[in-house]
Amino acid sequence: LHNDLLTEPARFSPPFAAFAVAAPAFGICNAPIPYSVADVIAVQPTPDPDFAAPLNSAGALSLCRFSPDFIDPRLKSPYVEEWNLTLQSEVARDWVLEVGYVGNEGHRISFGQDPNHNPASPDPQQCESSESKPFVGVLPQYKHEFLVQRRNGSDQAPFHSRILGALSTLIGETALR
Amino acid sequence: LNFTDNVFNFRDTLIRSSGRHGLKFGLEYNEDLETGDFGAVTRGFYEFFSLADFVADSPYLQELQIDPSTGQNILSSPNRLRHFRRRDFAWFIQDDWKVRKNLTINAGLRHEYFGVLTETNGKQAGVILGPGTTFRDQFVNARFGPLKQMYEPYWKNFAPSIGLAWDPTGSGMFSVRTGFAIN
């Protein structure tokens, strides 16, 4: 996106185009914010029917510091699929053995996304490295849990450990009262 | 600071047991009326990477809230009062069916509508995505502008659930339970 702003500023409608035009003069990453705290307090931005960002007419913001923060207009409610299977057996008087499996999968989970990031470009002017970033689309989340539980009363002292990230065990021990 | 939040909620559940069935039906309505003068960040908001940057008057983040229709600080604007509204609605139906002495099936369906925040006088703004086949293209062609709603309402939040409890031996010593649900 950084490169797009520099090479194809015409693609960007205001106020994005304003940043694209000003950035080359300062350099993308190192351009100083051209006004002080006092200037910010006193700034009286020019009214704009498109709600343009309040740019100071004397300078420009660095693209790397330009960070629009908004709600995705494509937002839909997230949901979770859950399933389980439990076998329960009374192995002796006051003793119950329970073996179960619980799984769930989240869909359309809300997550932050940085559209100002260009993961493909090795350009040293880029502010960020090519590290993996949140992707566009559905973000699935899985959790699978196996549990083995032995109980013989109402008070339980479960022991819960996680194995290999998604796989975990639960062992419950209960004192008879 | 002028802020009032009135929340109205109605919910009811009907339960009917008939023979082997235990039926439940319920609904809920929620209305949130929030009126406020939207007075955050009126004196500027600044963040610094270090104390040295603070001394040098060099914040990395500067934020000021303005009235987009006039460009004035929101604190002195007569246009800062907002009347936000949101309505939620949900209903469900469920049956606990005792098929046999050793088998019970639970099945249900829930539908939820989560209302989208609106401003009664249209005084909210956000990003309006532009043309393009990908989100990136839509974003770079985007513009800021007034929005009736931040996103489109979504009416398809159906949440089915089904489960069973089974005693295959009929002895009361062993049971199998399984279920699936969308929440």
Side-chain angles (χ1 to χ4, degrees), chain A residues 1 4 11-16 33 35-38 40-41 43-52 54 65-66 68 70-90 108 113 115 117-119 136, chain B residues 43-44 46 48 57-64 66 68-73 114 124-129 135-147 150-152 154 156-157 172-183:
Chain A
L1 186 59
D4 290 346
R11 292 178 57 196
F12 299 85
S13 60
F16 302 104
I33 298 176
Y35 44 75
S36 68
V37 172
V40 173
I41 294 175
V43 67
Q44 298 294 325
T46 302
D48 189 311
D50 280 339
F51 295 175
R65 296 186 175 102
F66 172 50
F70 62 94
I71 297 173
D72 191 339
R74 308 163 304 167
L75 185 68
K76 292 180 180 176
S77 302
Y79 64 95
V80 180
E81 291 182 59
E82 298 176 313
W83 54 91
N84 63 79
L85 174 64
T86 305
L87 305 179
Q88 192 179 62
S89 178
E90 183 175 339
R108 298 200 298 246
Q113 180 179 322
H117 173 71
N118 185 350
V136 177
Chain B
R43 309 186 72 174
Y46 313 94
F48 303 84
D57 193 16
S58 177
Y60 77 92
L61 171 69
Q62 304 178 65
E63 184 178 331
L64 184 68
I66 63 166
S69 63
T70 64
Q72 305 298 310
N73 187 322
F114 302 103
Q124 65 177 352
V127 165
I128 301 171
L129 295 178
F135 176 70
R136 176 163 292 205
D137 286 341
Q138 292 171 2
F139 177 73
V140 298
N141 290 318
R143 65 184 178 88
F144 291 108
L147 288 173
M150 288 295 180
Y151 52 91
E152 290 298 315
Y154 187 67
K156 299 178 182 177
N157 288 313
M173 305 282 284
F174 183 73
S175 69
V176 179
R177 290 183 174 86
T178 187
F180 172 80
I182 292 177
N183 289 308

Side-chain angles (χ1 to χ4, degrees), chain B residues 34-86:
Chain B
E34 178 187 310
T35 299
D37 61 7
F38 216 52
V41 204
T42 54
R43 309 186 72 174
F45 180 81
Y46 313 94
E47 287 189 5
F48 303 84
F49 276 126
S50 65
L51 186 61
D53 283 351
F54 177 72
V55 172
D57 193 16
S58 177
Y60 77 92
L61 171 69
Q62 304 178 65
E63 184 178 331
L64 184 68
Q65 192 172 66
I66 63 166
D67 180 347
S69 63
T70 64
Q72 305 298 310
N73 187 322
I74 199 74
L75 193 62
S76 58
S77 170
N79 193 30
R80 58 180 173 165
L81 202 62
R82 297 291 184 272
H83 303 81
F84 290 114
R85 301 289 183 265
R86 202 192 81 237

